[in-house]
Amino acid sequence: MDIREARNQIDSIDNELIRLFSERMNLAAEISRYKKEHNMPVLDAGRERVIIQKVIERTPEELRDYSPLLYSLILELSKSYQKRLIGLDTALIHDIRTAVEETPQLFPEHADVAVQGIAGANSQLACDRMFRYANINFFSSFGEVFDAIENGTCRYGIVPLENSTAGSVNAVYDLMSSRNLKIVRSLRLKVRHNLLVKPGTKLEGIHTIYSHEQAIAQCSEFLSTLEGVRVIPVANTAIAAKMVSESDRSDIAALATEECVRFYGLENIKPDVQNVGNNYTRFICISKDLEIYPGANRTSVIMTLHHDPGSLYKMLSRFYAYGINLTKLESRPIPDREFEFKFYFDLDCPIYATNLVQLIGELPSACEEFRYLGTYSETL
């Protein structure tokens, strides 16, 4: 058999597979109507296990690694189709639709905003990019920023989520998982780190450098060239600059923003010392209320999946089946549970797309725990 003949036979088989798949989905539709009439759940876990076991038994041994994957996807599609026909009108979907209708057309220019750090911090720069006239409230920790929103001190908060060089800010991921706040906007801010000193201090006279741990990681190549210099992490890059400014010592420096030069009367003796020029930090704007502004096209969710083989694959297959692009997958360990994780997903899809609403309606029943963090737009 030559390749053309083999391909012709594959085409014939594909035609038959499509016909059989259509027949199977039509029968699934009949079952969905029965389940709706008798108030039965779509998921029948026992039935699924029986089907997969039969598939394995009937498959030639050399293909048994593949057939369960194929049928797992077919079963996921069948459940999705049944739920679409039954109709999804959950409280979450109602809240999303209400937010789309009631959120103002324009993102506010003025608001009380909580940020971590002090004047000159990158979080302040991100806030100034998102809001034209923000009343900025500074707090010493990310947890205090979340507290300020929850207790009504501030309407919004700005926190860093990840950096293109140093990776994720795990503390913020954990807070998003444990607190009931929503993301209403995000921003990619180009970050430049500079070596700031008191006027007159020379590079060779520096013995100690202070900065935030993320900035230290982002400037690791430059720092490795300095012999005999201690690098000490502090809570914030701007705090490091302030420490240098207020210290009696003349042998210390800070890795901080250029803005800290004018805020704290320092001198920039080594600009742009980050490892790469294309260094970005992604900041998120969080709120107590769900707000979905026009143009929202990125959705964030947190899920705890069932601790079963293939559970992550099955979840990813849902995104693929709906044609929704996954732009971020982050895992965080679950406290007091060995080797089990929560997963943070970013999905690229407009809030107005019916497939996104359908997916969000299905996800809570497909995992152990589900949190919808919001749908929003990202600016540069």
Side-chain angles (χ1 to χ4, degrees):
M1 182 185 301
D2 64 19
I3 190 171
R4 287 176 296 179
E5 185 179 350
R7 286 175 172 171
N8 288 334
Q9 291 191 26
I10 286 176
D11 290 343
S12 298
I13 293 170
D14 285 343
N15 290 334
E16 185 66 10
L17 286 174
I18 293 170
R19 184 186 67 80
L20 293 172
F21 176 70
S22 300
E23 286 187 12
R24 195 185 196 286
M25 295 296 273
N26 288 336
L27 290 172
E30 293 292 330
I31 292 172
S32 72
R33 283 187 278 272
Y34 181 90
K35 288 179 177 178
K36 184 175 183 178
E37 291 173 2
H38 294 80
N39 197 28
M40 296 172 61
V42 169
L43 175 62
D44 186 343
R47 166 74 175 162
E48 286 195 5
R49 283 193 295 271
V50 170
I51 291 174
I52 294 296
Q53 187 58 43
K54 287 182 178 178
V55 166
I56 294 173
E57 292 172 355
R58 296 170 182 174
T59 302
E61 188 169 351
E62 65 271 17
L63 297 177
R64 286 182 180 177
D65 289 339
Y66 303 98
S67 59
L69 298 178
L70 171 63
Y71 271 81
S72 292
L73 179 57
I74 290 174
L75 292 172
E76 291 299 321
L77 295 174
S78 177
K79 286 182 291 186
S80 174
Y81 188 45
Q82 290 182 53
K83 289 178 180 178
R84 178 184 298 181
L85 295 173
I86 290 174
L88 293 168
D89 193 19
T90 65
L92 175 56
I93 290 179
H94 177 267
D95 290 344
I96 292 172
R97 288 172 175 159
T98 300
V100 170
E101 294 172 0
E102 297 183 358
T103 300
Q105 294 293 301
L106 296 176
F107 193 74
E109 291 188 337
H110 174 77
D112 291 323
V113 184
V115 303
Q116 186 267 341
I118 59 176
N122 281 305
S123 292
Q124 180 199 335
L125 303 184
C127 181
D128 290 340
R129 287 275 301 277
M130 288 194 196
F131 297 91
R132 190 174 181 184
Y133 307 109
N135 178 26
I136 299 178
N137 296 259
F138 291 103
F139 296 90
S140 60
S141 69
F142 295 136
E144 290 179 3
V145 171
F146 280 70
D147 291 339
I149 302 170
E150 289 181 332
N151 63 32
T153 301
C154 295
R155 178 177 174 183
Y156 298 108
I158 305 293
V159 289
L161 193 63
E162 58 184 328
N163 176 264
S164 57
T165 302
S168 300
V169 183
N170 292 331
V172 173
Y173 274 103
D174 292 341
L175 284 165
M176 288 302 299
S177 176
S178 62
R179 307 290 190 96
N180 189 26
L181 297 181
K182 300 292 187 270
I183 304 174
V184 298
R185 178 156 288 195
S186 66
L187 167 75
R188 288 179 64 223
L189 179 72
K190 190 166 186 177
V191 176
R192 293 183 171 93
H193 296 299
N194 309 274
L195 191 66
L196 308 186
V197 299
K198 284 187 172 184
T201 300
K202 304 299 181 183
L203 180 62
E204 56 271 16
I206 296 173
H207 294 148
T208 305
I209 296 176
Y210 299 95
S211 195
H212 187 267
E213 59 183 359
Q214 282 268 332
I216 292 170
Q218 294 163 30
C219 302
S220 59
E221 294 178 6
F222 165 72
L223 294 174
S224 67
T225 66
L226 305 179
E227 295 184 5
V229 176
R230 294 178 63 204
V231 181
I232 301 177
V234 295
N236 186 272
T237 56
I239 289 174
K242 186 178 181 183
M243 289 172 58
V244 172
S245 174
E246 295 176 349
S247 175
D248 294 331
R249 296 173 57 183
S250 59
D251 64 341
I252 60 176
L255 291 172
T257 65
E258 176 67 25
E259 283 72 12
C260 288
V261 170
R262 61 184 180 88
F263 277 122
Y264 303 110
L266 300 176
E267 181 181 352
N268 184 357
I269 62 169
K270 200 75 175 176
D272 292 330
V273 295
Q274 62 275 358
N275 294 348
V276 295
N278 193 30
N279 183 37
Y280 287 89
T281 294
R282 182 180 171 218
F283 290 85
I284 54 174
C285 179
I286 53 179
S287 170
K288 191 173 184 178
D289 300 321
L290 177 61
E291 301 175 6
I292 302 177
Y293 290 90
N297 59 1
R298 181 190 291 258
T299 295
S300 296
V301 298
I302 293 177
M303 286 181 278
T304 301
L305 305 182
H306 297 293
H307 195 49
D308 300 321
S311 58
L312 179 58
Y313 164 78
K314 290 179 181 179
M315 186 57 62
L316 295 176
S317 70
R318 286 176 178 265
F319 301 149
Y320 178 76
Y322 276 108
I324 294 177
N325 186 33
L326 177 66
T327 59
K328 175 74 175 181
L329 171 57
E330 182 79 20
S331 64
R332 295 295 300 147
I334 302 175
D336 303 322
R337 293 170 65 171
E338 293 185 2
F339 302 106
E340 294 190 45
F341 300 86
K342 287 188 176 182
F343 293 92
Y344 179 106
F345 298 90
D346 279 351
L347 310 176
D348 181 19
C349 187
I351 187 59
Y352 313 102
T354 56
N355 57 341
L356 177 63
V357 176
Q358 178 72 23
L359 177 67
I360 292 174
E362 293 179 10
L363 289 179
S365 62
C367 57
E368 182 180 322
E369 181 184 359
F370 176 80
R371 284 272 314 284
Y372 169 73
L373 299 182
T375 303
Y376 51 94
S377 59
E378 180 167 294
T379 58
L380 300 176

